[in-house]
Amino acid sequence: MFGYKILDNKWAVFCLLALVVFVVFGRVVWFDYIHLDEDVLITGNSFFYKTGSVLTELFKHDVYYPTGISAYYRPLYVFSFVSDTYLGASPMVFHATNIILHTIASFLVFIFLKKLQVVAGIKNDAKSSGLAVFLSLIFAVHPLVVQAVSWVPARGDILLTIFLLLSFICLSDYLLNQNKKYLFGHLSFFLLALFTKETAFVLPVVYSLFIYCFYGKRFINYTNLGLASGWAVIAALWFLLRQNALNAIAINDISISGMFEIVFKNISALLLYVGKMLLPFNLSVFPIIRDSSLTYGIVTLIAVTAYLVWNRSNLTKLSLVGLVWLTIFLAPVILNYDDPNQMAFFEHRAYLPLIGVLILILELGPKLNHRYIKISGIGVIFLLALVSYGYSSNFRNGAIFWREAVRVSPGSARAHAELANILVSEKNFSEAEMEYKKSLELNPKEKKVYNNLAILYIKQKQLDVAEYYLKKELEIDPSSVVANFNIGNIYARQNKFKEALFYWRKALETDPNHILTHESLVKYYYLIGDANGANKHINEITRQGAPLSQEIKEILSKLN
């Protein structure tokens, strides 16, 4: 692998990476959705993506708008789904985009590592180029990236990595020659990274460390001050737009002390991620702490710590940058509001932090015996590629994914609930009921499960039982849009319109854009002969660009 002059040609490296990614992940284009967020982000919002105002609306709302509510603000991430919708709106298009993006990210890892070698003073020869190629190939086929490539909604981490690496590459070029076009590129890509995923908010810390380590104190003067001003302006713009979007749905940010409390509760998850980075054999499509082994993480942590202590006098600044990169980008991964016993620590979230490990290995480059590393390096890449190829099969469709999730994480209430949804789609109602109840045994406060169990009983025309479970859902989550909507529909079927109106209005208080609730209100107002009321809710549906159902079209024609 090392020593070939062709590796000095960056486009040859790109072709090599593209070929390897295609061999390992090419079949993913034939995969279906796994029904984990796609039902909202892709299929549920496809009508919105086709509206003329979508480009401006993306920056005004949360990531799930208009069919859901979320605390995340990621307009560029959602824009990627908009563009794919126009390209064909099939799973094949969305999966192909993920594969292309991963290829680009892998190539940028190579470019970034080469930049680090230059600024760290590592000799630019065939050996250093070979090491950068080797590490970018490791990144391209590492089992931890499988979920990011195979699960469409995980592309946010790929996009973030692309923009982040481009911002670092431009920053490095700007600091070397002070050309303003690189400054513009650096700030632009920082802005794009922020509008892709919130993790980018910590980037200025890593930028500052990068400048200090590799460009010396002379850049802590006016140059760094100008950069810091640019970062501050961009961060302020992002913060204001994000707050505006979250205020529209009455979501408040968690306090700083609350963040530290959550991170402390989930700290053991760091071992889970670190272990999989160097020993990627403890893989899980839906990993929760209670069903995961931390042994690999402990072994990895001891080994890395021992190496750093043993070689502390020979460590370079690359080690510091690698450790900080790994730590600072892993920390947001464990920041989640779920119960620590039930939270899923998805592997795609390690996509960006994994580069920190590559930087640490890059520091070893000059110390490696390149006579033996050629064959062993190819062997490592082949082994990782083989593992990733087989592991990606778990993402073929929802039925395979959720059965695997229950197998590897039997203690996950969410996994059992989602498998139940799959069983309902397969019309296996008896097993679905068992899975819903198993979910509630594991976590009696698991959201949406009582609601979905109620829908199961509605299908069987057991409305009294369904009403009972919907009220249980509303005890857990009084603002649940779907539970308020469904219990309103039950009362409407029983001609209890006063009660129905109460719950439908509660649904719209939480989500004024809920299409199905507006449709129910159209039918209600038409039934009582209130044409103005019916037209009002028809207008709300069309305002959002949602298609009118056949039943609503018939009502509209009769009203006119």
Side-chain angles (χ1 to χ4, degrees):
M1 176 178 292
F2 302 93
Y4 298 116
K5 290 186 177 180
I6 194 173
L7 298 182
D8 288 329
N9 186 321
K10 63 182 180 181
W11 298 116
V13 174
F14 176 79
C15 291
L16 173 63
L17 288 167
L19 176 62
V20 170
V21 169
F22 176 76
V23 170
V24 177
F25 295 110
R27 64 176 180 156
V28 168
V29 297
W30 306 108
F31 287 7
D32 201 352
Y33 299 133
I34 62 172
H35 302 290
L36 179 61
D37 289 346
E38 300 102 327
D39 296 339
V40 176
L41 282 170
I42 300 173
T43 57
N45 283 342
S46 60
F47 72 90
F48 167 63
Y49 298 156
K50 295 177 181 178
T51 60
S53 61
V54 62
L55 293 182
T56 55
E57 292 298 318
L58 287 180
F59 290 89
K60 298 178 182 177
H61 300 285
D62 65 281
V63 71
Y64 282 167
Y65 177 86
T67 57
I69 295 175
S70 170
Y72 299 120
Y73 177 69
R74 302 170 180 177
L76 283 185
Y77 167 64
V78 178
F79 176 74
S80 73
F81 300 136
V82 175
S83 60
D84 279 357
T85 299
Y86 277 98
L87 289 173
S90 71
M92 180 180 290
V93 172
F94 286 86
H95 283 302
T97 299
N98 273 33
I99 294 171
I100 293 169
L101 290 173
H102 177 57
T103 303
I104 295 170
S106 300
F107 178 61
L108 288 174
V109 166
F110 166 72
I111 299 296
F112 175 63
L113 293 177
K114 287 291 293 177
K115 291 283 185 184
L116 280 181
Q117 288 177 325
V118 171
V119 299
I122 297 175
K123 185 179 179 182
N124 184 20
D125 55 16
K127 289 182 178 180
S128 63
S129 293
L131 181 59
V133 173
F134 168 66
L135 293 176
S136 60
L137 283 168
I138 291 289
F139 181 82
V141 302
H142 198 287
L144 274 184
V145 309
V146 169
Q147 190 171 54
V149 181
S150 305
W151 177 40
V152 174
R155 74 166 56 159
D157 291 275
I158 307 179
L159 285 167
L160 172 64
T161 300
I162 289 173
F163 294 136
L164 183 150
L165 290 176
L166 285 170
S167 76
F168 268 100
I169 292 167
C170 288
L171 176 62
S172 178
D173 289 340
Y174 170 66
L175 293 172
L176 281 172
N177 57 40
Q178 297 293 290
N179 191 317
K180 293 295 176 59
K181 71 178 182 180
Y182 295 119
L183 173 61
F184 177 78
H186 164 67
L187 294 176
S188 297
F189 288 122
F190 173 47
L191 176 66
L192 294 176
L194 269 177
F195 282 116
T196 298
K197 196 168 182 179
E198 297 84 354
T199 307
F201 193 75
V202 300
L203 269 174
V205 176
V206 189
Y207 290 149
S208 299
L209 177 67
F210 178 80
I211 293 170
Y212 181 79
C213 285
F214 300 121
Y215 293 92
K217 295 182 179 179
R218 67 184 183 279
F219 284 105
I220 306 299
N221 299 320
Y222 73 94
T223 301
N224 201 30
L225 185 61
L227 281 169
S229 300
W231 301 334
V233 170
I234 289 171
L237 171 65
W238 168 81
F239 181 79
L240 290 173
L241 289 173
R242 177 177 178 271
Q243 283 301 112
N244 181 64
L246 298 188
N247 288 340
I249 52 175
I251 289 182
N252 297 317
D253 276 332
I254 191 168
S255 65
I256 298 296
S257 60
M259 288 183 184
F260 280 109
E261 183 180 352
I262 292 170
V263 168
F264 179 76
K265 287 181 179 178
N266 295 331
I267 198 74
S268 58
L270 294 179
L271 290 173
L272 195 62
Y273 283 112
V274 170
K276 291 180 182 182
M277 288 179 183
L278 292 183
L279 300 171
F281 308 109
N282 184 29
L283 302 170
S284 170
V285 299
F286 202 87
I288 63 173
I289 293 297
R290 65 185 290 179
D291 291 323
S292 299
S293 171
L294 300 180
T295 303
Y296 294 95
I298 294 171
V299 169
T300 298
L301 185 62
I302 291 173
V304 171
T305 302
Y307 169 78
L308 293 175
V309 172
W310 183 264
N311 293 277
R312 60 187 180 276
S313 60
N314 299 318
L315 295 178
T316 69
K317 292 175 180 178
L318 280 174
S319 298
L320 176 61
V321 172
L323 284 172
V324 170
W325 186 293
L326 178 63
T327 304
I328 205 164
F329 290 127
L330 262 185
V333 166
I334 61 176
L335 182 60
N336 196 289
Y337 308 134
D338 292 343
D339 179 349
N341 293 319
Q342 290 295 325
M343 178 182 171
F345 295 96
F346 290 115
E347 290 163 354
H348 71 87
R349 294 172 182 160
Y351 192 90
L352 176 58
L354 180 60
I355 298 174
V357 175
L358 303 183
I359 296 172
L360 286 171
I361 299 174
L362 191 70
E363 196 267 342
L364 295 174
K367 306 168 189 176
L368 296 175
N369 187 323
H370 290 268
R371 259 178 70 188
Y372 303 105
I373 203 69
K374 294 179 184 179
I375 296 176
S376 60
I378 293 173
V380 168
I381 291 169
F382 180 78
L383 177 61
L384 293 177
L386 199 62
V387 172
S388 293
Y389 183 86
Y391 184 48
S392 66
S393 297
N394 293 309
F395 298 85
R396 189 175 295 275
N397 57 51
I400 292 173
F401 178 86
W402 288 112
R403 285 183 169 89
E404 174 67 8
V406 167
R407 186 189 72 82
V408 295
S409 294
S412 169
R414 172 79 182 276
H416 285 280
E418 295 292 351
L419 176 57
N421 294 339
I422 294 294
L423 292 168
V424 169
S425 69
E426 296 172 348
K427 300 189 184 305
N428 190 343
F429 298 136
S430 59
E431 285 193 30
E433 182 179 4
M434 291 171 57
E435 290 294 335
Y436 282 135
K437 290 182 176 177
K438 177 63 177 177
S439 175
L440 292 172
E441 285 178 17
L442 292 166
N443 182 16
K445 294 185 178 181
E446 184 72 17
K447 291 183 178 181
K448 298 183 180 179
V449 179
Y450 284 115
N451 175 79
N452 292 343
L453 193 54
I455 292 174
L456 189 62
Y457 286 113
I458 290 173
K459 290 178 184 291
Q460 300 173 51
K461 299 182 179 179
Q462 299 183 46
L463 299 186
D464 291 341
V465 180
E467 179 187 351
Y468 167 79
Y469 281 117
L470 286 169
K471 287 183 176 178
K472 294 285 289 183
E473 180 73 34
L474 291 171
E475 287 177 10
I476 299 171
D477 184 11
S479 63
S480 170
V481 176
V482 289
N484 280 300
F485 163 72
N486 285 324
I487 198 169
N489 282 1
I490 286 178
Y491 287 131
R493 290 173 68 169
Q494 297 171 336
N495 294 323
K496 298 178 180 178
F497 293 113
K498 181 179 179 181
E499 292 86 347
L501 273 174
F502 173 79
Y503 286 103
W504 287 335
R505 286 168 177 164
K506 282 190 69 176
L508 291 181
E509 282 177 11
T510 303
D511 184 5
N513 302 301
H514 193 244
I515 303 295
L516 295 177
T517 302
H518 285 296
E519 287 183 348
S520 290
L521 285 163
V522 170
K523 297 171 192 176
Y524 166 71
Y525 284 115
Y526 172 72
L527 183 65
I528 65 172
D530 186 345
N532 290 333
N535 277 315
K536 173 186 173 183
H537 290 283
I538 290 174
N539 290 336
E540 283 296 318
I541 297 170
T542 56
R543 180 185 62 81
Q544 298 176 57
L548 296 178
S549 67
Q550 186 58 39
E551 186 177 2
I552 300 301
K553 286 179 180 178
E554 291 174 2
I555 291 175
L556 181 60
S557 65
K558 291 174 182 177
L559 289 173
N560 296 330

